[in-house]
Amino acid sequence: MSSVEFVQGALRCHVAPPGAGVNVSDRIRVASRRLGWGYSRTRAAWYADRINISADELRKIEETTGLRYGRQELATVEELIVRADSLLDGPDADFHRPFVAAIRAMARAVYRPGTEE
């Protein structure tokens, strides 16, 4: 997922969800006020229209929505999997194997792409 797609989805689903306004222009106006961006900048991000997202804008979206950009989520999931695998290398591997399998299944279900934290 590119940063533009992430910002577009966050704007539409979290910053200005469908209940935030009657029509799209109202929702864009709500999003621009919440983020402190200009209307035209917010509109360009809403439609992913020839836009590059700066690091400051991405950080503002993350702070406003509580979401994290996908690459950080991927690193967290990989860290959880490495920790689970380390349990399988110890002396009690046969005891921990079913537990680790359950944690892996849960992590895959919860932290798959497109889910929220």
Side-chain angles (χ1 to χ4, degrees):
M1 169 187 310
S2 72
S3 60
V4 174
E5 291 170 338
F6 172 77
V7 169
Q8 182 183 31
L11 284 173
R12 291 179 176 196
C13 296
H14 299 283
V15 177
V22 177
N23 55 33
V24 174
S25 64
D26 289 341
R27 290 172 61 196
I28 294 171
R29 191 170 292 105
V30 167
S32 71
R33 288 182 188 141
R34 287 183 181 166
L35 295 172
W37 297 358
Y39 179 83
S40 62
R41 180 65 177 172
T42 309
R43 185 173 163 270
W46 185 275
Y47 291 111
D49 185 32
R50 296 179 305 240
I51 186 172
N52 289 322
I53 302 297
S54 72
D56 291 336
E57 291 169 332
L58 187 59
R59 188 171 29 258
K60 182 65 174 175
I61 289 283
E62 288 178 339
E63 289 172 0
T64 304
T65 62
L67 300 174
R68 296 288 168 240
Y69 186 55
R71 292 181 183 156
Q72 183 178 358
E73 290 178 15
L74 178 62
T76 303
V77 171
E78 288 176 353
E79 181 182 331
L80 288 172
I81 290 172
V82 166
R83 287 182 183 177
D85 283 339
S86 69
L87 289 174
L88 295 176
D89 294 334
D92 297 330
D94 291 335
F95 174 76
H96 292 295
R97 195 171 310 275
F99 179 71
V100 170
I103 289 177
R104 276 187 177 164
M106 182 192 69
R108 285 187 181 123
V110 173
Y111 292 105
R112 69 181 187 272
T115 60
E116 302 170 15
E117 289 185 344

mmCIF file of all heavy atoms in Angstrom, residues 23-70:
data_model
loop_
_atom_site.group_PDB
_atom_site.id
_atom_site.type_symbol
_atom_site.label_atom_id
_atom_site.label_comp_id
_atom_site.label_asym_id
_atom_site.label_seq_id
_atom_site.Cartn_x
_atom_site.Cartn_y
_atom_site.Cartn_z
ATOM 1 N N ASN A 23 -22.824 15.037 2.088
ATOM 2 C CA ASN A 23 -22.216 14.670 0.809
ATOM 3 C C ASN A 23 -20.694 14.693 0.929
ATOM 4 O O ASN A 23 -20.136 15.033 1.976
ATOM 5 C CB ASN A 23 -22.714 15.585 -0.321
ATOM 6 C CG ASN A 23 -22.473 17.045 0.001
ATOM 7 O OD1 ASN A 23 -21.503 17.386 0.658
ATOM 8 N ND2 ASN A 23 -23.358 17.909 -0.461
ATOM 9 N N VAL A 24 -20.027 14.348 -0.148
ATOM 10 C CA VAL A 24 -18.569 14.223 -0.133
ATOM 11 C C VAL A 24 -17.889 15.552 0.149
ATOM 12 O O VAL A 24 -16.916 15.615 0.902
ATOM 13 C CB VAL A 24 -18.069 13.604 -1.458
ATOM 14 C CG1 VAL A 24 -16.558 13.605 -1.521
ATOM 15 C CG2 VAL A 24 -18.606 12.201 -1.618
ATOM 16 N N SER A 25 -18.377 16.631 -0.431
ATOM 17 C CA SER A 25 -17.732 17.928 -0.191
ATOM 18 C C SER A 25 -17.808 18.326 1.279
ATOM 19 O O SER A 25 -16.864 18.927 1.812
ATOM 20 C CB SER A 25 -18.331 19.014 -1.083
ATOM 21 O OG SER A 25 -19.692 19.223 -0.769
ATOM 22 N N ASP A 26 -18.904 17.991 1.956
ATOM 23 C CA ASP A 26 -18.989 18.252 3.404
ATOM 24 C C ASP A 26 -17.965 17.419 4.163
ATOM 25 O O ASP A 26 -17.334 17.897 5.101
ATOM 26 C CB ASP A 26 -20.385 17.924 3.936
ATOM 27 C CG ASP A 26 -21.438 18.907 3.472
ATOM 28 O OD1 ASP A 26 -21.072 20.024 3.040
ATOM 29 O OD2 ASP A 26 -22.635 18.550 3.546
ATOM 30 N N ARG A 27 -17.820 16.160 3.773
ATOM 31 C CA ARG A 27 -16.850 15.288 4.437
ATOM 32 C C ARG A 27 -15.429 15.790 4.209
ATOM 33 O O ARG A 27 -14.592 15.741 5.122
ATOM 34 C CB ARG A 27 -17.012 13.857 3.928
ATOM 35 C CG ARG A 27 -18.310 13.220 4.415
ATOM 36 C CD ARG A 27 -18.575 11.894 3.778
ATOM 37 N NE ARG A 27 -17.527 10.928 4.079
ATOM 38 C CZ ARG A 27 -17.376 9.798 3.400
ATOM 39 N NH1 ARG A 27 -18.179 9.485 2.402
ATOM 40 N NH2 ARG A 27 -16.402 8.964 3.729
ATOM 41 N N ILE A 28 -15.130 16.269 3.014
ATOM 42 C CA ILE A 28 -13.792 16.815 2.727
ATOM 43 C C ILE A 28 -13.552 18.048 3.584
ATOM 44 O O ILE A 28 -12.469 18.237 4.148
ATOM 45 C CB ILE A 28 -13.633 17.125 1.230
ATOM 46 C CG1 ILE A 28 -13.668 15.824 0.418
ATOM 47 C CG2 ILE A 28 -12.337 17.886 0.968
ATOM 48 C CD1 ILE A 28 -13.725 16.029 -1.085
ATOM 49 N N ARG A 29 -14.563 18.889 3.717
ATOM 50 C CA ARG A 29 -14.440 20.093 4.548
ATOM 51 C C ARG A 29 -14.192 19.714 6.007
ATOM 52 O O ARG A 29 -13.346 20.297 6.690
ATOM 53 C CB ARG A 29 -15.706 20.934 4.414
ATOM 54 C CG ARG A 29 -15.585 22.319 5.004
ATOM 55 C CD ARG A 29 -16.763 23.224 4.637
ATOM 56 N NE ARG A 29 -16.755 23.538 3.206
ATOM 57 C CZ ARG A 29 -17.588 22.990 2.294
ATOM 58 N NH1 ARG A 29 -18.494 22.127 2.650
ATOM 59 N NH2 ARG A 29 -17.502 23.343 1.022
ATOM 60 N N VAL A 30 -14.899 18.713 6.516
ATOM 61 C CA VAL A 30 -14.696 18.234 7.886
ATOM 62 C C VAL A 30 -13.268 17.726 8.060
ATOM 63 O O VAL A 30 -12.584 18.042 9.047
ATOM 64 C CB VAL A 30 -15.723 17.122 8.233
ATOM 65 C CG1 VAL A 30 -15.330 16.396 9.508
ATOM 66 C CG2 VAL A 30 -17.118 17.709 8.355
ATOM 67 N N ALA A 31 -12.795 16.939 7.097
ATOM 68 C CA ALA A 31 -11.434 16.406 7.164
ATOM 69 C C ALA A 31 -10.401 17.530 7.142
ATOM 70 O O ALA A 31 -9.416 17.486 7.891
ATOM 71 C CB ALA A 31 -11.190 15.439 6.007
ATOM 72 N N SER A 32 -10.602 18.534 6.305
ATOM 73 C CA SER A 32 -9.621 19.628 6.231
ATOM 74 C C SER A 32 -9.566 20.396 7.548
ATOM 75 O O SER A 32 -8.488 20.806 7.985
ATOM 76 C CB SER A 32 -9.945 20.566 5.067
ATOM 77 O OG SER A 32 -11.103 21.323 5.318
ATOM 78 N N ARG A 33 -10.706 20.558 8.207
ATOM 79 C CA ARG A 33 -10.713 21.240 9.507
ATOM 80 C C ARG A 33 -10.024 20.405 10.582
ATOM 81 O O ARG A 33 -9.265 20.933 11.392
ATOM 82 C CB ARG A 33 -12.136 21.554 9.930
ATOM 83 C CG ARG A 33 -12.758 22.661 9.127
ATOM 84 C CD ARG A 33 -14.156 22.979 9.613
ATOM 85 N NE ARG A 33 -14.795 23.909 8.701
ATOM 86 C CZ ARG A 33 -16.067 23.850 8.351
ATOM 87 N NH1 ARG A 33 -16.854 22.913 8.855
ATOM 88 N NH2 ARG A 33 -16.568 24.720 7.511
ATOM 89 N N ARG A 34 -10.304 19.109 10.590
ATOM 90 C CA ARG A 34 -9.700 18.239 11.608
ATOM 91 C C ARG A 34 -8.191 18.134 11.458
ATOM 92 O O ARG A 34 -7.475 17.994 12.442
ATOM 93 C CB ARG A 34 -10.326 16.847 11.541
ATOM 94 C CG ARG A 34 -11.721 16.809 12.075
ATOM 95 C CD ARG A 34 -12.297 15.424 12.081
ATOM 96 N NE ARG A 34 -13.667 15.453 12.597
ATOM 97 C CZ ARG A 34 -14.514 14.463 12.487
ATOM 98 N NH1 ARG A 34 -14.159 13.331 11.900
ATOM 99 N NH2 ARG A 34 -15.740 14.571 12.965
ATOM 100 N N LEU A 35 -7.719 18.178 10.218
ATOM 101 C CA LEU A 35 -6.286 18.030 9.977
ATOM 102 C C LEU A 35 -5.548 19.361 9.931
ATOM 103 O O LEU A 35 -4.323 19.395 10.018
ATOM 104 C CB LEU A 35 -6.051 17.284 8.656
ATOM 105 C CG LEU A 35 -6.545 15.840 8.627
ATOM 106 C CD1 LEU A 35 -6.442 15.279 7.213
ATOM 107 C CD2 LEU A 35 -5.752 14.988 9.584
ATOM 108 N N GLY A 36 -6.282 20.451 9.736
ATOM 109 C CA GLY A 36 -5.640 21.750 9.600
ATOM 110 C C GLY A 36 -5.043 21.949 8.219
ATOM 111 O O GLY A 36 -4.139 22.764 8.040
ATOM 112 N N TRP A 37 -5.531 21.221 7.246
ATOM 113 C CA TRP A 37 -5.072 21.348 5.859
ATOM 114 C C TRP A 37 -6.035 22.259 5.114
ATOM 115 O O TRP A 37 -7.176 22.454 5.516
ATOM 116 C CB TRP A 37 -5.060 20.003 5.148
ATOM 117 C CG TRP A 37 -4.129 18.979 5.705
ATOM 118 C CD1 TRP A 37 -3.257 19.096 6.736
ATOM 119 C CD2 TRP A 37 -3.986 17.631 5.241
ATOM 120 N NE1 TRP A 37 -2.580 17.927 6.947
ATOM 121 C CE2 TRP A 37 -3.017 17.004 6.039
ATOM 122 C CE3 TRP A 37 -4.585 16.887 4.229
ATOM 123 C CZ2 TRP A 37 -2.620 15.688 5.854
ATOM 124 C CZ3 TRP A 37 -4.206 15.575 4.046
ATOM 125 C CH2 TRP A 37 -3.227 14.981 4.840
ATOM 126 N N GLY A 38 -5.584 22.765 3.975
ATOM 127 C CA GLY A 38 -6.468 23.520 3.104
ATOM 128 C C GLY A 38 -7.461 22.584 2.417
ATOM 129 O O GLY A 38 -7.212 21.384 2.269
ATOM 130 N N TYR A 39 -8.587 23.159 1.982
ATOM 131 C CA TYR A 39 -9.622 22.348 1.346
ATOM 132 C C TYR A 39 -9.097 21.676 0.079
ATOM 133 O O TYR A 39 -9.333 20.486 -0.136
ATOM 134 C CB TYR A 39 -10.852 23.211 1.014
ATOM 135 C CG TYR A 39 -11.948 22.432 0.338
ATOM 136 C CD1 TYR A 39 -12.846 21.689 1.083
ATOM 137 C CD2 TYR A 39 -12.076 22.438 -1.047
ATOM 138 C CE1 TYR A 39 -13.855 20.958 0.474
ATOM 139 C CE2 TYR A 39 -13.085 21.712 -1.675
ATOM 140 C CZ TYR A 39 -13.970 20.968 -0.906
ATOM 141 O OH TYR A 39 -14.954 20.246 -1.521
ATOM 142 N N SER A 40 -8.367 22.409 -0.745
ATOM 143 C CA SER A 40 -7.896 21.830 -2.013
ATOM 144 C C SER A 40 -6.872 20.720 -1.778
ATOM 145 O O SER A 40 -6.856 19.713 -2.497
ATOM 146 C CB SER A 40 -7.327 22.912 -2.933
ATOM 147 O OG SER A 40 -6.215 23.528 -2.327
ATOM 148 N N ARG A 41 -6.031 20.872 -0.764
ATOM 149 C CA ARG A 41 -5.055 19.819 -0.441
ATOM 150 C C ARG A 41 -5.782 18.569 0.056
ATOM 151 O O ARG A 41 -5.443 17.447 -0.321
ATOM 152 C CB ARG A 41 -4.067 20.330 0.622
ATOM 153 C CG ARG A 41 -3.024 19.326 1.035
ATOM 154 C CD ARG A 41 -2.108 18.997 -0.102
ATOM 155 N NE ARG A 41 -1.064 18.072 0.326
ATOM 156 C CZ ARG A 41 -0.228 17.506 -0.498
ATOM 157 N NH1 ARG A 41 -0.296 17.755 -1.794
ATOM 158 N NH2 ARG A 41 0.685 16.674 -0.057
ATOM 159 N N THR A 42 -6.774 18.762 0.908
ATOM 160 C CA THR A 42 -7.540 17.636 1.424
ATOM 161 C C THR A 42 -8.319 16.963 0.307
ATOM 162 O O THR A 42 -8.388 15.737 0.236
ATOM 163 C CB THR A 42 -8.502 18.106 2.534
ATOM 164 O OG1 THR A 42 -7.770 18.855 3.493
ATOM 165 C CG2 THR A 42 -9.173 16.935 3.210
ATOM 166 N N ARG A 43 -8.873 17.749 -0.607
ATOM 167 C CA ARG A 43 -9.615 17.201 -1.747
ATOM 168 C C ARG A 43 -8.696 16.372 -2.639
ATOM 169 O O ARG A 43 -9.060 15.284 -3.090
ATOM 170 C CB ARG A 43 -10.256 18.330 -2.541
ATOM 171 C CG ARG A 43 -11.134 17.867 -3.669
ATOM 172 C CD ARG A 43 -11.861 19.072 -4.299
ATOM 173 N NE ARG A 43 -12.355 18.711 -5.580
ATOM 174 C CZ ARG A 43 -11.696 18.834 -6.718
ATOM 175 N NH1 ARG A 43 -10.486 19.360 -6.723
ATOM 176 N NH2 ARG A 43 -12.228 18.472 -7.863
ATOM 177 N N ALA A 44 -7.486 16.868 -2.877
ATOM 178 C CA ALA A 44 -6.524 16.123 -3.697
ATOM 179 C C ALA A 44 -6.154 14.801 -3.021
ATOM 180 O O ALA A 44 -6.047 13.765 -3.686
ATOM 181 C CB ALA A 44 -5.279 16.966 -3.942
ATOM 182 N N ALA A 45 -5.992 14.804 -1.703
ATOM 183 C CA ALA A 45 -5.684 13.569 -0.982
ATOM 184 C C ALA A 45 -6.892 12.640 -0.971
ATOM 185 O O ALA A 45 -6.751 11.415 -1.081
ATOM 186 C CB ALA A 45 -5.252 13.888 0.455
ATOM 187 N N TRP A 46 -8.082 13.188 -0.860
ATOM 188 C CA TRP A 46 -9.319 12.401 -0.844
ATOM 189 C C TRP A 46 -9.450 11.579 -2.125
ATOM 190 O O TRP A 46 -9.808 10.420 -2.107
ATOM 191 C CB TRP A 46 -10.510 13.343 -0.701
ATOM 192 C CG TRP A 46 -11.827 12.663 -0.552
ATOM 193 C CD1 TRP A 46 -12.638 12.211 -1.552
ATOM 194 C CD2 TRP A 46 -12.495 12.354 0.668
ATOM 195 N NE1 TRP A 46 -13.766 11.657 -1.030
ATOM 196 C CE2 TRP A 46 -13.704 11.728 0.331
ATOM 197 C CE3 TRP A 46 -12.189 12.555 2.003
ATOM 198 C CZ2 TRP A 46 -14.609 11.296 1.295
ATOM 199 C CZ3 TRP A 46 -13.088 12.133 2.949
ATOM 200 C CH2 TRP A 46 -14.279 11.503 2.601
ATOM 201 N N TYR A 47 -9.151 12.233 -3.257
ATOM 202 C CA TYR A 47 -9.275 11.572 -4.548
ATOM 203 C C TYR A 47 -7.948 10.979 -5.047
ATOM 204 O O TYR A 47 -7.905 10.424 -6.143
ATOM 205 C CB TYR A 47 -9.821 12.539 -5.593
ATOM 206 C CG TYR A 47 -11.266 12.913 -5.335
ATOM 207 C CD1 TYR A 47 -11.610 14.201 -4.932
ATOM 208 C CD2 TYR A 47 -12.272 11.975 -5.464
ATOM 209 C CE1 TYR A 47 -12.922 14.539 -4.691
ATOM 210 C CE2 TYR A 47 -13.595 12.301 -5.224
ATOM 211 C CZ TYR A 47 -13.916 13.585 -4.839
ATOM 212 O OH TYR A 47 -15.224 13.917 -4.592
ATOM 213 N N ALA A 48 -6.884 11.102 -4.264
ATOM 214 C CA ALA A 48 -5.547 10.622 -4.644
ATOM 215 C C ALA A 48 -5.174 11.178 -6.011
ATOM 216 O O ALA A 48 -4.718 10.469 -6.903
ATOM 217 C CB ALA A 48 -5.482 9.106 -4.622
ATOM 218 N N ASP A 49 -5.371 12.467 -6.161
ATOM 219 C CA ASP A 49 -5.221 13.143 -7.446
ATOM 220 C C ASP A 49 -3.853 13.816 -7.568
ATOM 221 O O ASP A 49 -3.653 14.906 -7.043
ATOM 222 C CB ASP A 49 -6.340 14.178 -7.593
ATOM 223 C CG ASP A 49 -6.358 14.856 -8.939
ATOM 224 O OD1 ASP A 49 -5.980 14.202 -9.929
ATOM 225 O OD2 ASP A 49 -6.755 16.038 -8.992
ATOM 226 N N ARG A 50 -2.917 13.150 -8.227
ATOM 227 C CA ARG A 50 -1.571 13.690 -8.474
ATOM 228 C C ARG A 50 -1.003 14.357 -7.219
ATOM 229 O O ARG A 50 -0.733 15.551 -7.189
ATOM 230 C CB ARG A 50 -1.594 14.683 -9.622
ATOM 231 C CG ARG A 50 -1.964 14.078 -10.939
ATOM 232 C CD ARG A 50 -1.986 15.116 -12.019
ATOM 233 N NE ARG A 50 -2.875 16.218 -11.669
ATOM 234 C CZ ARG A 50 -3.921 16.584 -12.373
ATOM 235 N NH1 ARG A 50 -4.219 15.972 -13.464
ATOM 236 N NH2 ARG A 50 -4.664 17.603 -11.980
ATOM 237 N N ILE A 51 -0.814 13.567 -6.196
ATOM 238 C CA ILE A 51 -0.393 14.099 -4.907
ATOM 239 C C ILE A 51 0.763 13.272 -4.356
ATOM 240 O O ILE A 51 0.839 12.065 -4.577
ATOM 241 C CB ILE A 51 -1.580 14.100 -3.917
ATOM 242 C CG1 ILE A 51 -1.214 14.788 -2.616
ATOM 243 C CG2 ILE A 51 -2.096 12.725 -3.673
ATOM 244 C CD1 ILE A 51 -2.391 14.979 -1.686
ATOM 245 N N ASN A 52 1.658 13.931 -3.683
ATOM 246 C CA ASN A 52 2.710 13.280 -2.916
ATOM 247 C C ASN A 52 2.493 13.640 -1.456
ATOM 248 O O ASN A 52 2.316 14.801 -1.125
ATOM 249 C CB ASN A 52 4.099 13.754 -3.360
ATOM 250 C CG ASN A 52 4.460 13.233 -4.727
ATOM 251 O OD1 ASN A 52 4.146 12.107 -5.060
ATOM 252 N ND2 ASN A 52 5.109 14.062 -5.529
ATOM 253 N N ILE A 53 2.510 12.656 -0.605
ATOM 254 C CA ILE A 53 2.272 12.879 0.815
ATOM 255 C C ILE A 53 3.608 13.104 1.513
ATOM 256 O O ILE A 53 4.517 12.285 1.400
ATOM 257 C CB ILE A 53 1.548 11.668 1.443
ATOM 258 C CG1 ILE A 53 0.228 11.391 0.733
ATOM 259 C CG2 ILE A 53 1.342 11.863 2.934
ATOM 260 C CD1 ILE A 53 -0.783 12.503 0.832
ATOM 261 N N SER A 54 3.707 14.202 2.232
ATOM 262 C CA SER A 54 4.934 14.475 2.974
ATOM 263 C C SER A 54 4.934 13.689 4.282
ATOM 264 O O SER A 54 3.893 13.204 4.733
ATOM 265 C CB SER A 54 5.056 15.976 3.267
ATOM 266 O OG SER A 54 4.125 16.358 4.254
ATOM 267 N N ALA A 55 6.090 13.596 4.889
ATOM 268 C CA ALA A 55 6.207 12.882 6.165
ATOM 269 C C ALA A 55 5.371 13.566 7.247
ATOM 270 O O ALA A 55 4.751 12.891 8.075
ATOM 271 C CB ALA A 55 7.664 12.809 6.589
ATOM 272 N N ASP A 56 5.326 14.893 7.236
ATOM 273 C CA ASP A 56 4.528 15.620 8.224
ATOM 274 C C ASP A 56 3.038 15.342 8.055
ATOM 275 O O ASP A 56 2.309 15.185 9.029
ATOM 276 C CB ASP A 56 4.783 17.126 8.128
ATOM 277 C CG ASP A 56 6.177 17.517 8.580
ATOM 278 O OD1 ASP A 56 6.770 16.754 9.379
ATOM 279 O OD2 ASP A 56 6.673 18.568 8.140
ATOM 280 N N GLU A 57 2.593 15.274 6.803
ATOM 281 C CA GLU A 57 1.178 14.978 6.549
ATOM 282 C C GLU A 57 0.830 13.555 6.974
ATOM 283 O O GLU A 57 -0.226 13.317 7.565
ATOM 284 C CB GLU A 57 0.856 15.184 5.067
ATOM 285 C CG GLU A 57 0.905 16.637 4.633
ATOM 286 C CD GLU A 57 0.842 16.820 3.139
ATOM 287 O OE1 GLU A 57 1.279 15.921 2.387
ATOM 288 O OE2 GLU A 57 0.349 17.877 2.713
ATOM 289 N N LEU A 58 1.716 12.627 6.692
ATOM 290 C CA LEU A 58 1.492 11.243 7.093
ATOM 291 C C LEU A 58 1.441 11.129 8.610
ATOM 292 O O LEU A 58 0.581 10.456 9.171
ATOM 293 C CB LEU A 58 2.582 10.343 6.522
ATOM 294 C CG LEU A 58 2.407 8.849 6.697
ATOM 295 C CD1 LEU A 58 1.126 8.367 6.047
ATOM 296 C CD2 LEU A 58 3.594 8.111 6.108
ATOM 297 N N ARG A 59 2.336 11.826 9.290
ATOM 298 C CA ARG A 59 2.354 11.819 10.756
ATOM 299 C C ARG A 59 1.071 12.438 11.312
ATOM 300 O O ARG A 59 0.506 11.943 12.283
ATOM 301 C CB ARG A 59 3.586 12.566 11.269
ATOM 302 C CG ARG A 59 3.788 12.443 12.747
ATOM 303 C CD ARG A 59 5.115 13.002 13.253
ATOM 304 N NE ARG A 59 5.708 14.084 12.498
ATOM 305 C CZ ARG A 59 6.737 13.934 11.639
ATOM 306 N NH1 ARG A 59 7.261 12.760 11.414
ATOM 307 N NH2 ARG A 59 7.226 14.980 10.989
ATOM 308 N N LYS A 60 0.571 13.496 10.685
ATOM 309 C CA LYS A 60 -0.668 14.134 11.139
ATOM 310 C C LYS A 60 -1.850 13.165 10.999
ATOM 311 O O LYS A 60 -2.700 13.075 11.896
ATOM 312 C CB LYS A 60 -0.924 15.411 10.330
ATOM 313 C CG LYS A 60 -2.154 16.167 10.751
ATOM 314 C CD LYS A 60 -2.024 16.704 12.149
ATOM 315 C CE LYS A 60 -3.228 17.577 12.485
ATOM 316 N NZ LYS A 60 -3.212 18.027 13.851
ATOM 317 N N ILE A 61 -1.911 12.434 9.897
ATOM 318 C CA ILE A 61 -2.965 11.434 9.696
ATOM 319 C C ILE A 61 -2.867 10.361 10.783
ATOM 320 O O ILE A 61 -3.874 9.955 11.367
ATOM 321 C CB ILE A 61 -2.868 10.792 8.299
ATOM 322 C CG1 ILE A 61 -3.280 11.790 7.220
ATOM 323 C CG2 ILE A 61 -3.701 9.529 8.204
ATOM 324 C CD1 ILE A 61 -4.753 12.018 7.080
ATOM 325 N N GLU A 62 -1.648 9.882 11.043
ATOM 326 C CA GLU A 62 -1.460 8.845 12.063
ATOM 327 C C GLU A 62 -1.891 9.345 13.443
ATOM 328 O O GLU A 62 -2.538 8.618 14.197
ATOM 329 C CB GLU A 62 -0.009 8.392 12.100
ATOM 330 C CG GLU A 62 0.404 7.568 10.907
ATOM 331 C CD GLU A 62 1.868 7.173 10.941
ATOM 332 O OE1 GLU A 62 2.668 7.826 11.645
ATOM 333 O OE2 GLU A 62 2.209 6.206 10.249
ATOM 334 N N GLU A 63 -1.549 10.577 13.785
ATOM 335 C CA GLU A 63 -1.924 11.140 15.083
ATOM 336 C C GLU A 63 -3.432 11.315 15.195
ATOM 337 O O GLU A 63 -4.016 11.038 16.242
ATOM 338 C CB GLU A 63 -1.243 12.498 15.294
ATOM 339 C CG GLU A 63 0.235 12.419 15.524
ATOM 340 C CD GLU A 63 0.899 13.795 15.526
ATOM 341 O OE1 GLU A 63 0.198 14.815 15.342
ATOM 342 O OE2 GLU A 63 2.124 13.838 15.699
ATOM 343 N N THR A 64 -4.065 11.755 14.132
ATOM 344 C CA THR A 64 -5.500 12.021 14.144
ATOM 345 C C THR A 64 -6.316 10.738 14.214
ATOM 346 O O THR A 64 -7.299 10.660 14.941
ATOM 347 C CB THR A 64 -5.909 12.835 12.901
ATOM 348 O OG1 THR A 64 -5.139 14.035 12.865
ATOM 349 C CG2 THR A 64 -7.386 13.180 12.924
ATOM 350 N N THR A 65 -5.895 9.720 13.464
ATOM 351 C CA THR A 65 -6.690 8.493 13.364
ATOM 352 C C THR A 65 -6.265 7.408 14.339
ATOM 353 O O THR A 65 -7.049 6.516 14.641
ATOM 354 C CB THR A 65 -6.601 7.906 11.952
ATOM 355 O OG1 THR A 65 -5.246 7.554 11.664
ATOM 356 C CG2 THR A 65 -7.120 8.887 10.927
ATOM 357 N N GLY A 66 -5.021 7.440 14.792
ATOM 358 C CA GLY A 66 -4.522 6.358 15.632
ATOM 359 C C GLY A 66 -4.022 5.175 14.813
ATOM 360 O O GLY A 66 -3.563 4.184 15.368
ATOM 361 N N LEU A 67 -4.115 5.271 13.491
ATOM 362 C CA LEU A 67 -3.618 4.213 12.611
ATOM 363 C C LEU A 67 -2.116 4.374 12.420
ATOM 364 O O LEU A 67 -1.562 5.437 12.623
ATOM 365 C CB LEU A 67 -4.305 4.291 11.246
ATOM 366 C CG LEU A 67 -5.813 4.137 11.224
ATOM 367 C CD1 LEU A 67 -6.338 4.391 9.815
ATOM 368 C CD2 LEU A 67 -6.206 2.751 11.683
ATOM 369 N N ARG A 68 -1.472 3.323 12.001
ATOM 370 C CA ARG A 68 -0.054 3.363 11.665
ATOM 371 C C ARG A 68 0.120 2.894 10.234
ATOM 372 O O ARG A 68 -0.571 1.989 9.784
ATOM 373 C CB ARG A 68 0.762 2.471 12.599
ATOM 374 C CG ARG A 68 0.719 2.925 14.018
ATOM 375 C CD ARG A 68 1.535 4.207 14.206
ATOM 376 N NE ARG A 68 1.261 4.798 15.499
ATOM 377 C CZ ARG A 68 0.765 6.017 15.662
ATOM 378 N NH1 ARG A 68 0.490 6.761 14.641
ATOM 379 N NH2 ARG A 68 0.550 6.494 16.852
ATOM 380 N N TYR A 69 1.055 3.510 9.556
ATOM 381 C CA TYR A 69 1.321 3.151 8.173
ATOM 382 C C TYR A 69 1.775 1.703 8.099
ATOM 383 O O TYR A 69 2.463 1.212 8.983
ATOM 384 C CB TYR A 69 2.369 4.097 7.600
ATOM 385 C CG TYR A 69 2.625 3.926 6.123
ATOM 386 C CD1 TYR A 69 1.582 3.997 5.218
ATOM 387 C CD2 TYR A 69 3.890 3.679 5.642
ATOM 388 C CE1 TYR A 69 1.803 3.836 3.868
ATOM 389 C CE2 TYR A 69 4.126 3.524 4.298
ATOM 390 C CZ TYR A 69 3.076 3.602 3.414
ATOM 391 O OH TYR A 69 3.303 3.446 2.071
ATOM 392 N N GLY A 70 1.393 0.980 7.072
ATOM 393 C CA GLY A 70 1.547 -0.459 6.957
ATOM 394 C C GLY A 70 2.927 -1.034 7.199
ATOM 395 O O GLY A 70 3.056 -2.138 7.704
#
